[in-house]
Amino acid sequence: MTQTRRLRLEFADRQGSGCLLITGWPDTEFAELCGLTPGELARRVVILPSDVLATAGDDYRAFPTIAGSFVLEPESVCFMPRFPFRDGMSYAVVVDSGASQDGPQVLTIQRPTVAATPTTEVVAIYPTAAEIPVNLLKVYVHFSTPMSEGWAAQAITVCRQDNGELLEGVFLPTPPELWDPSRRRLTMLLDPGRIKRGLAPNLEAGYPLVEGVPVKVMVAPDFRDAGGRPLVAGAERCYRVGPPRRERIALHNWKLIPPVAGSAQPLTVEFDHPLDQALLQHCLTVKTTDGTPVSGQGEIGPEERSWRFSPENPWDTGPCRLTIAPHLEDLAGNSPLRVFDRDITIEDDAPTNKDALQVEFNCAPAS
């Protein structure tokens, strides 16, 4: 069957995402492909880096292929990779129908190399608080453009601020990496097994951080963006490491500064300690007492210790409610309903059951 194939490879774009088109199939074989299941098609057409194929030879099926899915289009097979193709890399397509005495047909194509001038920057590293608890659960890194998969473990490190010693095993290995849908926010999860007391990793190695030992979170400039380019520059943030937090988020410790009725002043909420930046973005809402959402825009304050809500329209004179989603967390993973780093022998730390929480407030009267 390979003698009658005139297959061609071409990089293309589908709905804003790069893909690989395989065209030139004989009519009879393409009709056969259309009847295959996704698994059968993935075994018939294998895509992997050319250097992997050169090393593997006939044992190429024992090596990981490029993750993605196939879409059959009129007269072509379209491969949509899970992660973007890398500029400058050569890819091999192995087509094995099992019908040819000559063995599988192999085609290669190289992704064009684009200008290597870096354009992507680290926008922020969270938390921004100067002091973090020793049982810190998450670090967020925000980038200005979409990023590539597979660089986090080597490009994001933590070291002691006093002597520069790298700390090993701080972050939990998480294949796949924890990206938001835009691939601009990366969540680095500190090993929960070392944070939760009573678990074997905690008993054997203790917390990933050490109370009283300042640390520095560093993002290396060789972290690659979606186009394979390095960052404009590396980034870092330094922290003091304070005592652990092992308490639920207590809403009665928050301070609400109500706006003036009839004005468009913001509602300000001040927290007694820093909260999780990513969760704060969507865990607080303002509603009227009948449950109608108040339209407006929320904004997180410095060090994630406050939140301001600016309404689209002036405030009414009636009471309103600040509604808090129960999965809101602080830096140590504590929510209003449970303590993350809890002692299972303490009954007061056991999770409670509530669907939502709220704080009622009245706008200040106009003078």
Side-chain angles (χ1 to χ4, degrees):
M1 188 170 292
T2 56
Q3 286 81 3
T4 60
R5 289 197 193 111
R6 296 292 186 269
L7 297 184
R8 298 179 297 278
L9 304 181
E10 176 188 0
F11 288 112
D13 184 88
R14 293 293 183 271
Q15 298 179 346
S17 298
C19 66
L20 178 61
L21 290 182
I22 309 171
T23 58
W25 300 93
D27 292 341
T28 53
E29 185 174 12
F30 188 75
E32 182 184 354
L33 295 179
C34 292
L36 299 180
T37 66
E40 291 170 336
L41 184 56
R43 288 188 291 273
R44 175 75 70 86
V45 182
V46 177
I47 301 176
L48 65 170
S50 297
D51 56 355
V52 172
L53 181 62
T55 301
D58 293 338
D59 296 328
Y60 67 90
R61 292 190 182 276
F63 288 76
T65 60
I66 302 296
S69 59
F70 290 94
V71 177
L72 291 172
E73 299 182 345
E75 300 183 352
S76 68
V77 174
C78 175
F79 177 74
M80 306 288 295
R82 180 176 179 183
F83 308 114
F85 290 114
R86 291 190 177 180
D87 294 337
M89 179 175 285
S90 177
Y91 294 89
V93 177
V94 183
V95 181
D96 186 4
S97 66
S100 171
Q101 299 299 319
D102 298 329
Q105 181 180 3
V106 178
L107 303 96
T108 60
I109 185 172
Q110 183 166 347
R111 183 77 174 175
T113 300
V114 299
T117 302
T119 59
T120 302
E121 300 177 302
V122 175
V123 176
I125 300 175
Y126 291 97
T128 62
E131 181 172 294
I132 54 177
V134 68
N135 54 350
L136 175 74
L137 185 59
K138 288 176 279 188
V139 170
Y140 299 107
V141 183
H142 291 236
F143 299 90
S144 59
T145 65
M147 301 297 291
S148 288
E149 173 88 10
W151 290 88
Q154 65 194 70
I156 300 182
T157 54
V158 181
C159 72
R160 292 178 56 132
Q161 192 178 344
D162 51 359
N163 60 16
E165 175 189 352
L166 284 177
L167 302 182
E168 302 292 341
V170 173
F171 297 117
L172 179 72
T174 53
E177 296 165 350
L178 304 178
W179 291 97
D180 73 335
S182 72
R183 300 191 63 78
R184 296 187 183 197
R185 186 192 71 209
L186 174 66
T187 301
M188 298 297 292
L189 191 66
L190 279 74
D191 191 344
R194 293 182 61 184
I195 291 174
K196 282 199 170 186
R197 288 169 293 165
L199 297 184
N202 176 269
L203 296 174
E204 294 170 2
Y207 288 131
L209 306 178
V210 178
E211 184 177 348
V213 176
V215 295
K216 181 189 301 182
V217 176
M218 301 178 294
V219 182
D222 57 355
F223 205 132
R224 293 297 194 265
D225 65 16
R229 294 174 291 266
L231 302 175
V232 172
E236 61 185 40
R237 184 173 287 279
C238 299
Y239 299 102
R240 300 189 304 271
V241 180
R245 289 207 64 90
R246 298 170 181 150
E247 301 171 342
R248 296 190 188 95
I249 295 175
L251 305 185
H252 62 265
N253 289 332
W254 292 6
K255 179 182 179 182
L256 269 69
I257 304 174
V260 173
S263 75
Q265 291 178 352
L267 164 71
T268 300
V269 186
E270 297 179 350
F271 315 123
D272 57 322
H273 63 282
L275 300 183
D276 182 289
Q277 182 267 343
L279 294 174
L280 263 179
Q281 290 183 321
H282 56 80
C283 280
L284 301 184
T285 54
V286 179
K287 299 180 180 180
T288 60
T289 52
D290 64 1
T292 303
V294 177
S295 298
Q297 184 67 42
E299 179 184 4
I300 301 172
E303 298 195 353
E304 298 78 68
R305 295 184 66 103
S306 63
W307 183 78
R308 287 162 44 105
F309 178 81
S310 300
E312 286 186 2
N313 303 302
W315 295 97
D316 291 332
T317 55
C320 291
R321 291 172 181 164
L322 173 69
T323 301
I324 301 97
H327 60 275
L328 175 66
E329 294 179 359
D330 63 16
L331 303 187
N334 306 308
S335 77
L337 305 186
R338 55 115 175 98
V339 176
F340 184 82
D341 178 15
R342 65 178 290 246
D343 184 339
I344 60 174
T345 65
I346 299 178
E347 186 175 349
D348 288 346
D349 281 357
T352 61
N353 241 341
K354 286 186 180 179
D355 293 330
L357 305 112
Q358 54 192 23
V359 178
E360 192 164 307
F361 66 93
N362 288 286
C363 295
S367 56

